[in-house]
Amino acid sequence: MSEQKPAQGLPDKNAWRRFQKNRPAVVSAWFLAFLLLIVIAWPVLLKISSANFAQLHNPDQLSDAQFSAPSLQHWFGTDLHGRDLFSRVLFGAQISLLVGVVGAIVSLVIGVLWGAVAGYVGGRVDAVLMRIVDVLYSLPSIIFVIVLITTLGGLLKQSHLVQNSPALEGALRVTLLFVGLGAVSWLTMARIVRGQVLSLRTRAFVEASRALGGGPVRILARHIIPNIFGVVITYLALTMPAIILYESFLSYLGLGVQAPMASWGTLISDGVSQINPIRIYWWMIIFPGGVLVATLLALNFLGDGLRDAWDVKGR
Amino acid sequence: MYFARRLTFAIPLLLVISALAFALVHLAPGGPFDRERAPASPEIERNLKAAYHLDEPVWKQYLRFFGLVWQKGATGHWHHEPASFNISYKYRSHRVSDIIGQALPVSMTLGALAFGFAMGVGLPLGFITAARRGSWPDYAGSFLAILAVCVPGFVVGPLLILVFSVKLHWLPVALWESPAHMILPAIALGLFFSGKIARLFREGMLTAAQSEFIAAARAKGLGENLLLLKHAVRIAILPVVSFSGPMLADLLTGSFVIENIFQIPGIGVFFINSALNSDYTVAVDLALLYAILLVVLNLIVDFSYTRLDPRVKYE
Amino acid sequence: MWRNVFFHLLISAVVFLTSGCLHRETPADITIINNAEPESLDPAIISGIPEFRIVIGLFEGLTRLDPKTAQPIPGLAQSWDVSPDGCTYTFHLRIHLVWSTGEPITADDVVYSWLRAASPATASDYAGAFFYLKNGEAFVTGKIKNRSLVGIHALDRRTVRVELNHPTAFFLDLCALPVMSIVPRQTIEKYGDRWLMAQPLPVSGPFELAYWRPNDKVRFKKNPLYWDAANTQSQIIDILPLGSPDTALNLYENAQADIVLDRTLVPGELLDVLRKRPDFHPFNYLGTYFIRLNVTKKPFDDPRVRRALALAIDKKLIVTKITRGGEVLAATLVPPWTANYASPPGLGYDPVLARQLLAEAGYPGGKGFPRFEYMFDAAAGGGSKLHQDIAIELQQMWRDNLGIQMDLRQVEWKVLLSSYSDLAYEAARSSWIGDYDDANTFLDCFTSQNGNNRTGWKNPRYDTLINQANAQADLKKREQLFRQAETLLIHDEMPIIPIFYYVGLNYFDTNKIQGFYQNILDDHPLEYLRKVSPKPKVQSPD
């Protein structure tokens, strides 16, 4: 562990300064911000633009312009159904980024709470909690995910909650995917946080607070959690790409989001079937694949930058 | 003895995992005998389920899995019912042990080759990027390493086939018949891990370079490169070693994606298909296989630790 | 020191593993790419097409199918006599029939094989084939236990008599089904579920099972004791299980496989190019792609709604834009190339009439029509996404033509199957492949009690018509009854909406492979296959 930690409060200013010196990380941050901007702005733009433009770029609008190469009309070309690929990549980005963010947050919340409680309370509780983590570690996560998606999807269908609202059902189904992915990726977080908390627990400022009569909740909230901020934010940036990749794998297995909705995973697995010796509709793999890889690269560089800036170790 | 104790702890772990996996796969809707063509009469399906004891409560099926069921026969004598863990409901002509016995060595070979590739590429790449920190080889190398962890395997595989088999005719397109057939799948499988290892090793090297006894060695006047080689490597390899356990467990149990793309008769496809097809026993057997491998490999990792790092001792 | 030990261990492990799974073996004469890994090769158990294609090489029935016409021809039975009322068949086995292990094949083996497949204990999915035998249905469903009551008996070592309930026009076709093929009693009784792994495995067909490695390959070697072994053309045939169209194409293009059997193994996007090549062989296939509607759920309980949905589908667009294999639009369930039968007219594409019907049903312009789900199975691991692609087009057609909202629901294969049988769907994609060349193989599915009905549609008149047709010996009268029944099914009531009739596709080079014929059942006896060495080819720049 690093030796000089601020006593409490927000992350220190030096960290920000160190981060700003890391050029790849800064470029990545700008790239991600830019991507986010387009992803958010594009649907709005479609709403306010002329009907003709909106129709042409509606991600779900089928047309006869099947497999057309990139052109001024369709910047990324079109797919089998004649849908505009540019729009589909951007709408797919919504899903993929959301999967990444929500999945990472879910894994973060479970992981931080689990690890913090285990590390802080210690003793038998710690042992039990960490044994559970061990068990889940040894279970191939794909079995868990497959069962979760097939089972809960079925239960959802039967429940009265969504019986009369297919829109709500669709939203819940996507949420299920997010939560499922988050639920299988919190284990590492729990282990790291526990380690951090264990070492912080015995430190002077925590001991002092305890001596002054601070309860465990207060100590966790005021001293411990702020001090693991660096780990957490770094981890967030590094978990997102993993979860986005996992989603694309699930799409390849046919377990991803429901058509006609798209995610980068479904777009890429559509595109991959275009790689063959006879004819390649290259735009169907290059564009979704390129955007995915660029985003994951940016997230990784960002995560590395954050980690170096906060001097986080022990992943 | 520490390692003996670890092994005894593994037994309850395996029991919990088998129970968990058993419950999970039984939760999913549908059963192993659902077919496109309906059976000629409902009695047929009922008979089939009864013949394989799928009409029993799940807890009893679980006991039966391990061969812990005694039944009172027509003559009034209690007799032992055979265990079911070796029966596949989907592939009824094969024993599960025969399937694993045939497919696991294939996956293990491929996994070992991929491991070799990942180490062979990852370690030098990590070393170069660390030794030349901040220069263009570092940036280029780090970029490649991150790129390797960002491209989904189901994209890498077809691309490799397209370039090296279809266009250049250097290597076979698929199947598992000669050493030449192993090259592309090993690379496709190992690529992700080579990036991972390069990053871990680079990090380890940088940490080691700051540590006290390297500073001491530097003070003794040893040349920088030699210094890094002799001392830092020994420490920097530790994170790589501890990552090797779970990595090998993943690699040796095969990959659905790679086996599917290259048509390799490995065990990876069974992991996914048994869960998707409700082939209950096979899914649980494979979950156990994975857990056992993980336990054993982690033991080996910890053992290597004691040899590599004199500071680590297990009591 | 320890490092050396570890290193040696690693090396020897790798060497051991490598040597353990690389089999230097004789190359096959012919390599065939089949579809999925066969679940079983037990003729009584299998129900999938990939399994059928393999099993017909191992076990033969009393009849087999002519490779060109798919009509029944003598198999293990040399000839047969039919009683004047068409209800009794007397089969005469060939002289000197033996198993591949040398023991004689007798009439008792035939009786054993059939009763085994029909027995409730075997739980064969195809046991319905025995319903046509006297007391067959009662035996299959376990209502009678006495085997001698079932209408099959051995008269002597070479003669089998079969009694049927009705004259059954397609009975000789049924005899060629794997479920009715002749299997080795001793081996089955000795080894149980795993009898196919017995060494040696006695077979009655043209090939022996050299080995069967899951997910790797099935290898056949010629059975020299087969009655027609003189005409078996190849010594060794490999059959590869393969699910990815791209891998199949790669292997074929690189001459690592000679024949690709399955339509689903042709990458859909390339069909426009591939169809023009000389080594691509399309043929009319005895199968229909259709939509199931669950008539037990509102609003699909109203025939007007079901007809409106059917009339609003532009099938031509689906065939030209999505499937692209030259499929023929279907207005009926029974394909037009079925023997002894011509379907009645069905419904075409008429959005105006569709809107009118929907308005009559109480949903003018789609107003008030509940959102519903269309269920289809997902493609796993780079497989064909045909069902999803069709669903996406349907969604837009129904929205544009009828103003109704449909959601897509992609599920795993077994979830789709259990939704079918529990009627836990609203609309779902489906298809049916005929087992034999007769309209009954399609129309029988939608009788009230049939397990394949799966729509909740029950129509007593339809049941009566099908029963009458099957009791009818006169082919013309039979056809009329079937036509009346099918009119109910695909014109008046429409629990299903036919979309297109399948086109099968095989790819192989006629310069290299001989003895491969195409027929509407996509049935390809392997014994006729022969590889000829191609004329030395001029190196073509590719």
Side-chain angles (χ1 to χ4, degrees):
Chain A
M1 297 304 120
S2 69
E3 292 308 315
Q4 65 283 21
K5 275 279 179 191
Q8 54 167 299
L10 286 168
D12 61 332
K13 283 195 185 114
N14 289 334
W16 274 117
R17 209 164 299 141
R18 281 198 295 274
F19 178 77
Q20 278 161 356
K21 274 197 196 145
N22 186 330
R23 217 174 323 147
V26 173
V27 171
S28 299
W30 280 112
F31 170 80
L32 290 171
F34 178 67
L35 180 76
L36 211 59
L37 185 74
I38 312 182
V39 167
I40 294 169
W42 183 247
V44 181
L45 194 74
L46 284 185
K47 270 218 177 87
I48 57 171
S49 64
S50 71
N52 192 12
F53 185 85
Q55 175 86 350
L56 200 61
H57 293 279
N58 180 344
D60 295 327
Q61 178 62 44
L62 315 192
S63 78
D64 298 334
Q66 191 175 22
F67 293 128
S68 37
S71 65
L72 282 177
Q73 276 198 336
H74 297 291
W75 304 327
F76 283 5
T78 62
D79 67 359
L80 169 74
H81 299 282
R83 295 177 295 192
D84 182 61
L85 201 58
F86 180 77
S87 263
R88 289 188 70 71
V89 167
L90 287 187
F91 278 82
Q94 285 183 4
I95 300 289
S96 284
L97 292 177
L98 217 58
V99 166
V101 171
V102 178
I105 289 176
V106 168
S107 78
L108 190 75
V109 170
I110 307 180
V112 167
L113 285 180
W114 201 280
V117 169
Y120 191 81
V121 178
R124 196 158 291 169
V125 175
D126 180 26
V128 169
L129 290 181
M130 293 328 279
R131 279 300 85 73
I132 294 176
V133 170
D134 287 346
V135 167
L136 294 178
Y137 243 114
S138 322
L139 191 71
S141 64
I142 187 67
I143 292 187
F144 186 76
V145 172
I146 287 176
V147 171
L148 192 81
I149 289 175
T150 55
T151 313
L152 292 188
L155 288 180
L156 206 61
K157 174 111 181 91
Q158 286 160 14
S159 73
H160 291 285
L161 182 67
V162 297
Q163 204 101 76
N164 301 314
S165 169
L168 180 65
E169 189 189 346
L172 279 176
R173 206 178 292 280
V174 177
T175 319
L176 196 69
L177 187 68
F178 297 171
V179 175
L181 287 173
V184 294
S185 30
W186 59 272
L187 302 171
T188 313
M189 189 70 214
R191 281 190 177 172
I192 297 169
V193 170
R194 173 178 171 270
Q196 291 273 351
V197 171
L198 269 182
S199 78
L200 282 172
R201 197 163 68 129
T202 53
R203 296 270 277 282
F205 61 94
V206 177
E207 297 283 356
S209 174
R210 195 176 294 142
L212 290 172
V217 174
R218 186 186 150 86
I219 291 174
L220 266 179
R222 288 289 301 274
H223 300 290
I224 306 244
I225 299 223
N227 265 298
I228 53 176
F229 178 81
V231 187
V232 163
I233 188 110
T234 305
Y235 173 81
L236 203 58
L238 293 175
T239 305
M240 268 184 72
I243 292 184
I244 293 175
L245 265 185
Y246 207 127
E247 191 275 334
S248 72
F249 171 59
L250 286 182
S251 296
Y252 180 77
L253 290 184
L255 296 169
V257 294
Q258 298 277 331
M261 201 187 269
S263 72
W264 287 341
T266 59
L267 293 173
I268 291 172
S269 58
D270 279 353
V272 159
S273 57
Q274 305 299 334
I275 303 179
N276 64 63
I278 293 183
R279 174 183 61 197
I280 301 178
Y281 293 129
W282 53 270
W283 56 92
M284 285 189 65
I285 180 68
I286 293 290
F287 291 119
V291 176
L292 173 92
V293 170
T295 306
L296 297 193
L297 273 173
L299 281 169
N300 271 298
F301 278 121
L302 184 68
D304 281 1
L306 290 170
R307 189 190 50 210
D308 292 347
W310 267 276
D311 201 18
V312 177
K313 287 184 201 116
R315 282 193 309 128
Chain B
M1 169 80 186
Y2 174 77
F3 290 102
R5 217 171 56 221
R6 280 273 296 270
L7 275 179
T8 26
F9 279 144
I11 292 167
L13 175 81
L14 292 178
L15 276 178
V16 173
I17 283 174
S18 64
L20 202 60
F22 207 86
L24 276 174
V25 288
H26 275 85
L27 257 177
F33 299 128
D34 290 338
R35 295 278 162 70
E36 177 166 27
R37 184 174 299 270
S41 78
E43 287 90 350
I44 290 180
E45 207 181 347
R46 223 170 298 139
N47 279 327
L48 198 56
K49 281 192 172 153
Y52 289 91
H53 305 288
L54 293 179
D55 50 351
E56 291 178 348
V58 176
W59 62 266
K60 196 165 175 193
Q61 290 186 46
Y62 179 66
L63 290 182
R64 191 179 287 281
F65 180 81
F66 291 108
L68 295 173
V69 172
W70 280 265
Q71 207 95 33
K72 203 168 184 174
T75 51
H77 291 290
W78 289 84
H79 64 98
H80 178 235
E81 294 269 303
S84 66
F85 67 86
N86 214 0
I87 294 170
S88 164
Y89 302 122
K90 182 149 168 88
Y91 303 109
R92 282 144 72 186
S93 303
H94 303 283
R95 283 194 195 91
V96 183
S97 56
D98 293 340
I99 293 178
I100 293 178
Q102 185 230 301
L104 187 63
V106 174
S107 285
M108 287 186 125
T109 310
L110 179 58
L113 290 172
F115 182 75
F117 174 82
M119 287 294 185
V121 172
L123 291 180
L125 194 62
F127 184 81
I128 293 167
T129 49
R132 297 260 175 276
R133 190 185 185 185
S135 67
W136 73 263
D138 177 23
Y139 291 133
S142 296
F143 181 81
L144 284 179
I146 295 183
L147 191 66
V149 298
C150 288
V151 187
F154 63 91
V155 178
V156 176
L159 282 179
L160 287 175
I161 295 175
L162 184 71
V163 175
F164 294 101
S165 307
V166 172
K167 296 288 176 210
L168 298 173
H169 294 288
W170 288 355
L171 293 164
V173 287
L175 301 183
W176 188 252
E177 284 167 356
S178 72
H181 284 84
M182 302 177 175
I183 298 173
L184 286 185
I187 293 174
L189 184 58
L191 199 64
F192 174 85
F193 294 99
S194 68
K196 209 83 182 163
I197 286 173
R199 283 159 61 82
L200 279 175
F201 194 49
R202 175 177 183 270
E203 234 170 83
M205 291 285 287
L206 294 180
T207 317
Q210 294 162 358
S211 72
E212 284 150 29
F213 75 98
I214 295 280
R218 194 175 283 147
K220 275 201 295 186
L222 286 170
E224 190 76 3
N225 275 337
L226 195 67
L227 195 83
L228 277 173
L229 261 179
K230 277 201 113 158
H231 298 279
V233 168
R234 226 180 135 99
I235 308 230
I237 199 90
L238 290 177
V240 177
V241 169
S242 57
F243 175 64
S244 297
M247 171 171 87
L248 266 171
D250 271 357
L251 284 174
L252 297 181
T253 48
S255 147
F256 176 87
V257 173
I258 301 300
E259 287 171 13
N260 191 42
I261 289 171
F262 290 94
Q263 191 55 31
I264 294 168
I267 199 81
V269 289
F270 287 98
F271 269 88
I272 306 283
N273 286 341
S274 62
L276 282 177
N277 296 328
S278 292
D279 200 350
Y280 304 131
T281 42
V282 176
V284 177
D285 287 331
L286 291 177
L288 280 174
L289 178 76
Y290 179 83
I292 291 171
L293 257 174
L294 197 66
V295 166
V296 171
L297 288 168
N298 277 336
L299 266 184
I300 294 176
V301 162
D302 290 349
F303 182 71
S304 322
Y305 246 87
T306 59
R307 297 308 175 120
L308 277 172
D309 190 346
R311 293 172 300 182
V312 179
K313 276 217 168 63
Y314 296 106
E315 294 308 328
Chain C
M1 187 273 289
W2 68 272
R3 230 180 291 201
N4 280 333
V5 172
F6 181 71
F7 197 66
H8 273 109
L9 277 176
L10 191 75
I11 294 280
S12 45
V14 168
V15 169
F16 166 74
L17 289 170
T18 319
S19 59
C21 51
L22 284 180
H23 310 263
R24 286 253 156 245
E25 52 182 16
T26 12
D29 298 330
I30 292 178
T31 303
I32 298 173
I33 294 183
N34 197 2
N35 203 319
E37 164 68 18
E39 288 183 27
S40 174
L41 295 180
D42 182 339
I45 285 177
I46 58 172
S47 64
I49 289 158
E51 286 88 355
F52 275 30
R53 291 186 182 130
I54 302 177
V55 166
I56 56 166
L58 295 173
F59 301 100
E60 192 161 297
L62 294 176
T63 61
R64 57 195 172 128
L65 297 182
D66 183 283
K68 289 176 190 159
T69 63
Q71 295 303 313
I73 53 172
L76 294 188
Q78 190 170 34
S79 62
W80 48 84
D81 311 313
V82 189
S83 66
D85 65 352
C87 286
T88 306
Y89 283 70
T90 310
F91 290 95
H92 308 286
L93 298 189
R94 290 175 191 279
I95 310 169
H96 305 312
L97 267 188
V98 288
W99 295 101
S100 57
T101 44
E103 293 91 13
I105 300 176
T106 65
D108 285 332
D109 288 322
V110 178
V111 176
Y112 165 78
S113 301
W114 283 28
L115 289 178
R116 167 183 181 261
S119 150
T122 307
S124 167
D125 288 337
Y126 264 83
F130 296 99
F131 283 15
Y132 302 97
L133 265 61
K134 209 174 87 191
N135 286 328
E137 183 164 359
F139 182 69
V140 168
T141 52
K143 289 192 191 78
I144 59 168
K145 305 261 182 263
N146 188 345
R147 291 167 173 252
S148 61
L149 292 179
V150 184
I152 174 165
H153 294 94
L155 299 185
D156 59 45
R157 280 177 66 85
R158 282 187 48 223
T159 317
V160 179
R161 193 184 66 209
V162 178
E163 294 150 298
L164 307 177
N165 294 322
H166 308 291
T168 306
F170 46 86
F171 179 66
L172 290 171
D173 297 82
L174 289 182
C175 291
L177 283 178
V179 74
M180 291 196 159
S181 59
I182 313 310
V183 292
R185 174 177 201 158
Q186 271 87 19
T187 313
I188 293 172
E189 286 177 347
K190 187 167 167 199
Y191 294 95
D193 257 1
R194 279 184 289 279
W195 65 274
L196 279 152
M197 295 292 133
Q199 285 294 344
L201 173 69
V203 295
S204 52
F207 291 98
E208 293 183 79
L209 187 62
Y211 58 74
W212 168 21
R213 292 202 295 255
N215 258 341
D216 185 2
K217 66 171 86 157
V218 170
R219 171 164 281 206
F220 275 0
K221 64 172 192 277
K222 182 177 171 175
N223 170 8
L225 297 182
Y226 176 60
W227 63 269
D228 197 20
N231 288 319
T232 306
Q233 303 289 338
S234 300
Q235 294 296 326
I236 298 178
I237 293 183
D238 278 353
I239 301 160
L240 308 183
L242 216 147
S244 155
D246 300 302
T247 311
L249 183 67
N250 281 333
L251 284 171
Y252 176 77
E253 291 286 284
N254 285 272
Q256 301 221 26
D258 303 299
I259 303 171
V260 179
L261 276 182
D262 207 287
R263 161 73 173 79
T264 58
L265 290 177
V266 183
E269 291 87 353
L270 297 174
L271 270 176
D272 51 332
V273 184
L274 295 177
R275 275 180 63 79
K276 295 185 188 123
R277 293 187 2 179
D279 54 345
F280 268 65
H281 307 278
F283 61 95
N284 293 331
Y285 189 19
L286 198 67
T288 307
Y289 193 96
F290 60 89
I291 300 169
R292 286 179 193 278
L293 297 172
N294 182 353
V295 305
T296 65
K297 290 207 175 166
K298 273 191 177 311
F300 306 103
D301 54 345
D302 187 338
R304 288 171 299 191
V305 169
R306 305 197 292 262
R307 299 184 74 201
L309 287 173
L311 286 162
I313 298 173
D314 183 357
K315 297 169 188 170
K316 177 137 201 189
L317 186 74
I318 290 177
V319 169
T320 51
K321 186 175 172 186
I322 307 298
T323 63
R324 314 212 287 176
E327 286 80 2
V328 179
L329 309 189
T332 66
L333 176 65
V334 185
W337 34 84
T338 309
N340 303 322
Y341 184 71
S343 288
L347 300 185
Y349 177 49
D350 190 344
V352 179
L353 182 60
R355 277 191 288 275
Q356 198 182 318
L357 278 169
L358 201 65
E360 280 173 27
Y363 307 103
K367 234 176 243 117
F369 199 89
R371 258 182 114 108
F372 67 101
E373 275 187 342
Y374 177 87
M375 202 179 265
F376 58 94
D377 45 321
S384 156
K385 292 194 175 67
L386 189 72
H387 311 312
Q388 177 183 313
D389 294 334
I390 290 174
I392 289 170
E393 297 289 332
L394 284 175
Q395 186 181 38
Q396 171 133 336
M397 284 172 194
W398 281 337
R399 187 172 59 216
D400 292 354
N401 289 333
L402 298 176
I404 59 177
Q405 295 294 327
M406 175 261 262
D407 291 302
L408 272 59
R409 173 104 154 86
Q410 168 182 307
V411 295
E412 299 71 55
W413 178 229
K414 62 168 181 151
V415 177
L416 181 70
L417 294 180
S418 62
S419 304
Y420 280 165
S421 36
D422 303 344
L423 290 178
Y425 70 93
E426 287 155 328
R429 81 99 198 164
S430 191
S431 55
W432 191 256
I433 309 292
D435 292 324
Y436 45 88
D437 190 3
D438 189 277
N440 186 60
T441 186
F442 290 92
L443 295 176
D444 184 44
C445 293
F446 292 92
T447 51
S448 303
Q449 293 310 315
N450 196 302
N452 291 309
N453 182 311
R454 294 166 164 173
T455 55
W457 183 70
K458 292 192 164 85
N459 188 310
R461 198 169 123 66
Y462 184 86
D463 297 351
T464 316
L465 285 168
I466 298 291
N467 283 338
Q468 284 174 351
N470 280 328
Q472 180 57 257
D474 183 297
L475 286 179
K476 272 285 154 219
K477 285 184 189 149
R478 187 167 175 262
E479 182 186 8
Q480 281 314 313
L481 291 164
F482 273 149
R483 280 172 64 96
Q484 288 176 38
E486 198 180 11
T487 303
L488 279 176
L489 184 70
I490 51 89
H491 187 275
D492 303 346
E493 290 275 333
M494 295 225 96
I496 56 162
I497 305 174
I499 306 287
F500 58 82
Y501 309 113
Y502 275 107
V503 160
L505 275 175
N506 306 123
Y507 37 119
F508 64 94
D509 187 343
T510 38
N511 294 322
K512 281 197 242 162
I513 298 294
Q514 292 183 351
F516 189 94
Y517 308 100
Q518 290 175 303
N519 53 57
I520 59 169
L521 288 176
D522 202 7
D523 183 87
H524 307 286
L526 303 172
E527 60 268 34
Y528 306 110
L529 293 182
R530 186 158 64 105
K531 194 167 191 171
V532 289
S533 40
K535 294 159 204 107
K537 213 168 56 177
V538 185
Q539 280 281 307
S540 60
D542 185 26

